[in-house]
Amino acid sequence: MKRFLAAAAAVLSLAFTSPSLAQTPPNVLVVGQIAEPKSLDPHAVTAVNDFRILMNIYDGLVRYKDGTLEVEPALAESWTISDDGTVYTFKLREGVRFHDGAPLNAEAVKFNFDRMLDEEHPFHDTGPFPLAFFFSSIDTVTAIDDLTVEFKLKEPYAPFLSNLAYPTGLIVSPKGVEDNGADFGRNPSGTGAYTFAEWEANAKVVVTRNEDYWDGAPELEAVIYRPITDANTRIAEMLSGGLDIMVEVPPDSLQQFRSDDAFTVHEQAGPHLWFLILNTKEGPFAKKEIRQAANYAINKTALVDNILQGTAEVAAGPTPPAFAWAYDESLQPYPYDPARAEQLLEDAGYDGEEVTFYVTEGGSGMLDPIAMGTAIQADLEAIGMDVKIETYEWNTFLGKVNPGLEGKADMAEMAWMTNDPDTLPFLALRTEAWPDKGGFNSGYYSNPKVDELLEAARRSTDQDERAELYREMQAIVQEDAPWVFVANWKQNAVTKASVEGFKLQPSFFLMLQDVAKPQ
């Protein structure tokens, strides 16, 4: 293995210095990521960029069935749910071990959730755990016996199984956390198809084949994830042979790859929303009329057609249409109507106050954020708003936006890719999800009726009833306009034609367990 890592490092060194000569190592998959990961602790991160690595190092109790958002067994081979929907009992697979050799058992599962949820847990300080919200319905976790674990919920919670399949539900090694403490995210240990080998900052994360993987060892010897934040550099690396897979291909380049037999372009619709968070607490966007004006002023069709070149559709509200059962098809997007926007500004008494706009250089699902930000700035300035852009690298950007916009900015770009219609509004639109309460409602939106609808929808175990509640929520949020609803994206990736078994998933994760790279 040391010989392999040395050979891979030599090839990568060549790739960095001379793209025209770069070729990837045999039986090693090189993936061009959009950013450096923040951490390899699945409980500590929120970005799909990180999740694309983590889903191959760890497993959850359950996982999404290939090509769907339906849940199927993973580390739990079966489960039962009590009649009242508050007790979930999971039977674990026998003989599974973490990469560090420790056994997977019910106590290990309990450790994971107690670590996130119990402030008195001895390793709670290895956080923070920003998506622990996903499991706030849990009352207790009990190891019934070595291979049986019971979750008691405070009340019925419909998205529970789906959230267990999300990366926040991935099971980490308690031994790994105990040995490494807050540095576990740099020294990860899971039960997944690939074992962590190396993380060289701003250069690569290397994972190697888990020969003992419970679901069958993968064909690839290793996967190397390279963070390449500049899209043009990522494209050049792909064209020159330095990458086997490139995620989030800029729209300008899709046709170039489609017309070249050396590559395969992959596309997959999924639950994605690109939007602008508006600061509803202070500044001009504290007034609903000015928030609505922004929605009318921005030519979203032009963004989708010209910048995104048809790789997305104009968004109508806070719920992506990929959640067909919960989506309100009667909602129409805010039309492009600058005259109406100007009238709303006048009626609201907007006095030309400067608007600070946070834009990111890149990031998970952010599409073409600088070009989109510049176009949005121009549309708002055309109706008389004075917009100042501040641009940041992705992780720096998240560090500014996630704690809230108060005292810093009036609006910020954002994109979410989610697993359930509950996730995004619950974490980013409820009053109890303001940043000071641990959520992602960075614009401080608050509507008691929306809070009530979201709480009721997650308690209901009747999908038709949930759908009606979500539709009612969508209509209210669209009217209140705490966000500018911009686009729903169709994700893409490009692979070398020689790569076999690769598929995009509606979850937006990269599942590489079944990928092969014949020489």
Side-chain angles (χ1 to χ4, degrees), residues 325-338:
W325 63 271
Y327 181 66
D328 186 350
E329 293 186 351
S330 70
L331 278 188
Q332 296 299 310
Y334 275 85
Y336 176 52
D337 192 339

Side-chain angles (χ1 to χ4, degrees), residues 98 100 102 111 172-181 183-184 187-189:
F98 291 100
D100 56 23
F111 175 100
V172 310
S173 166
K175 181 180 184 299
V177 175
E178 290 165 0
D179 288 349
N180 294 284
D183 291 329
F184 176 74
N187 302 276
S189 176

